[in-house]
Amino acid sequence: MNKPTERLADLGGAVADFAVTGQHIDCIFGRELIKLHKNTGDILLRRTVFEKDGLSRKLIAQGGELFVYDFCTLHIFRQDDLEPLWSRRLGEDLTSDICGMAADKSAVYCSIRNGKLTAVDRKNREIREAQVSNSSIWSVIVYGSDLLCGTVDGRLLLIDKGSLTVKRELALGKKNIASLLVHGDTLYAAGQDGRLFKISPEDFAVLAQRRNVHKKMFRLAGVYGDAVVTVSHPCSEIAFWHRDSMEMIRLLSVPLELSGRAVIDEDRLYVSSRNIPGIDVLRLDLTS
């Protein structure tokens, strides 16, 4: 079943990444940070903050700040006015670039290629780091006093935020666990081998799994109603899976390319992609 997205904001080129907070979307476009109204797509503020264009930059928002990583460098901006606050190189080359990122009220956590984890204190900018894995970590999310991390060699790690030490480990396969999502007392994990896992983060046990979710790389966009939503940019697919049974509810074909971002906020799925000149939106309705 096809259900086309709508163009929310046409910026004339691909958005590298974005975050939805309150009534706004903060996005990376070329050399700029741009703030959009999430309902109208109107540009509210834009600021040139980078020296060069780039599509590999990643962005998250937390507690009034925007965190952007660009290869080996972490940038921090004030979210209200996009003012640069701090910038630091955490690595030097392709063996030490930033692969994943998460933040809480105390720190921003960056996974560095080849298994290092770095924590930057949000108040004094003090940097802590530790080697936590022999394999790179591409997915990092905050889980209470811990971090949940997915490794390239298919493991799920529970890491203490204070000591940056591994508390628990679960082998899910042999391929990259590239996307993680916690909803209530359940963790969902997306594997590059096409499997979607339902996990108890308390017991660190797999409750259920679904194979062949997508034929190529996919990520978790969020939860809507009783559905976990996955998006595969290479397959041009958006899929809805029942949170309990893991059965497919709906599969949508939406033209996408290579990579991008997909975020659920209320009853909307916001999408960026290499073939979208801005931000598109899909109005979610499982009854139609």
Side-chain angles (χ1 to χ4, degrees):
M1 177 179 178
N2 293 333
K3 186 172 183 179
T5 57
E6 304 170 14
R7 183 63 35 82
L8 176 70
D10 193 334
L11 301 178
V15 166
D17 203 4
F18 68 92
V20 183
T21 310
Q23 295 300 306
H24 303 137
I25 300 174
D26 294 296
C27 61
I28 306 171
F29 175 70
R31 304 180 186 185
E32 297 178 294
L33 283 177
I34 298 179
K35 189 181 297 292
L36 306 171
H37 193 285
K38 75 172 185 179
N39 295 325
T40 66
D42 292 340
I43 296 176
L44 305 176
L45 181 63
R46 63 195 307 167
R47 182 189 289 268
T48 300
V49 295
F50 302 108
E51 295 182 358
K52 300 178 181 180
D53 292 341
L55 285 172
S56 62
R57 300 179 180 116
K58 299 298 179 183
L59 174 151
I60 60 172
Q62 207 284 334
E65 293 181 327
L66 299 177
F67 305 94
V68 177
Y69 73 76
D70 181 8
F71 190 45
C72 293
T73 302
L74 173 66
H75 304 277
I76 303 178
F77 302 89
R78 189 161 51 228
Q79 190 170 11
D80 285 348
D81 56 9
L82 308 182
E83 178 73 21
L85 299 177
W86 185 85
S87 181
R88 179 72 57 85
R89 285 182 66 88
L90 302 181
E92 297 298 330
D93 51 33
L94 281 171
T95 67
S96 57
D97 56 319
I98 303 170
C99 300
M101 179 171 56
D104 60 18
K105 64 181 180 180
S106 300
V108 53
Y109 308 91
C110 294
S111 59
I112 310 298
R113 193 178 297 271
N114 295 323
K116 183 184 292 185
L117 194 63
T118 298
V120 180
D121 189 281
R122 292 180 59 177
K123 290 184 179 179
N124 58 30
R125 310 304 187 196
E126 179 182 330
I127 298 175
R128 297 178 292 123
E129 61 181 29
Q131 189 75 33
V132 298
S133 170
N134 293 324
S135 177
S136 297
I137 296 170
W138 276 23
S139 52
V140 184
I141 61 173
V142 172
Y143 179 66
S145 61
D146 300 313
L147 299 172
L148 287 166
C149 302
T151 70
V152 170
D153 63 358
R155 291 173 296 128
L156 176 68
L157 306 178
L158 183 69
I159 296 175
D160 183 273
K161 290 191 297 188
S163 62
L164 299 183
T165 56
V166 178
K167 297 168 66 174
R168 303 189 76 171
E169 181 176 326
L170 177 64
L172 297 177
K174 296 183 179 181
K175 291 191 176 182
N176 189 16
I177 306 301
S179 183
L180 299 171
L181 168 70
V182 170
H183 182 77
D185 58 359
T186 304
L187 168 68
Y188 298 93
Q192 198 167 348
D193 59 1
R195 286 188 290 173
L196 173 62
F197 299 90
K198 181 180 178 181
I199 299 166
S200 167
E202 290 297 323
D203 300 329
F204 240 55
V206 176
L207 303 175
Q209 62 177 285
R210 181 84 186 194
R211 296 180 182 274
N212 303 316
V213 171
H214 298 278
K215 292 182 179 179
K216 297 180 180 179
M217 189 78 165
F218 71 98
R219 293 185 180 273
L220 294 149
V223 170
Y224 176 70
D226 290 330
V228 177
V229 183
T230 60
V231 178
S232 174
H233 281 76
C235 296
S236 292
E237 293 176 342
I238 299 173
F240 297 77
W241 308 89
H242 197 281
R243 289 194 288 118
D244 293 329
S245 68
M246 302 285 280
E247 295 296 321
M248 180 186 286
I249 300 172
R250 179 172 296 172
L251 179 66
L252 304 178
S253 295
V254 178
L256 300 170
E257 282 186 5
L258 295 175
S259 63
R261 179 82 153 179
V263 175
I264 291 178
D265 182 75
E266 297 178 343
D267 62 348
R268 293 183 173 190
L269 174 65
Y270 297 91
V271 182
S272 67
S273 177
R274 296 291 180 94
N275 65 313
I276 296 174
I279 302 287
D280 278 9
V281 62
L282 175 70
R283 299 178 187 275
L284 299 172
D285 183 2
L286 295 178
T287 62
S288 62

